[in-house]
Amino acid sequence: MRIGSSIALIAVGAILAFALAPGLIPFLDQVLVGYILMVVGVIGLIISIAMSNRTRRTVVERRTAPETVVERRPEV
């Protein structure tokens, strides 16, 4: 769940809980559903912000070409 979808859940939950007249949907307690959607939206928002604040750590390792070792032996 991303930040935008979390905010959308909070908005839909607030509309169901506060803006619509109670009893508009006869077989559903829309205030309770609105509160549940707002709680899920807040939890998703907290998790998505926490996940976006994590920095990705990369380790860069430089490898140089192997040094050429020249061994000189005295001529016999």
Side-chain angles (χ1 to χ4, degrees), residues 60-67:
V60 177
E61 181 179 331
R62 292 186 181 173
R63 294 186 182 186
T64 59
E67 296 179 16

Side-chain angles (χ1 to χ4, degrees), residues 29-50:
D29 186 7
Q30 66 199 32
V31 176
L32 179 64
V33 172
Y35 286 138
I36 291 171
L37 286 176
M38 285 191 292
V39 168
V40 169
V42 168
I43 290 171
L45 184 64
I46 291 170
I47 291 173
S48 62
I49 289 173

Side-chain angles (χ1 to χ4, degrees), residues 3-18 34 37-46:
I3 293 174
S5 59
S6 298
I7 292 173
L9 277 178
I10 294 171
V12 170
I15 290 170
L16 282 175
F18 305 124
L37 286 176
M38 285 191 292
V39 168
V40 169
V42 168
I43 290 171
L45 184 64
I46 291 170

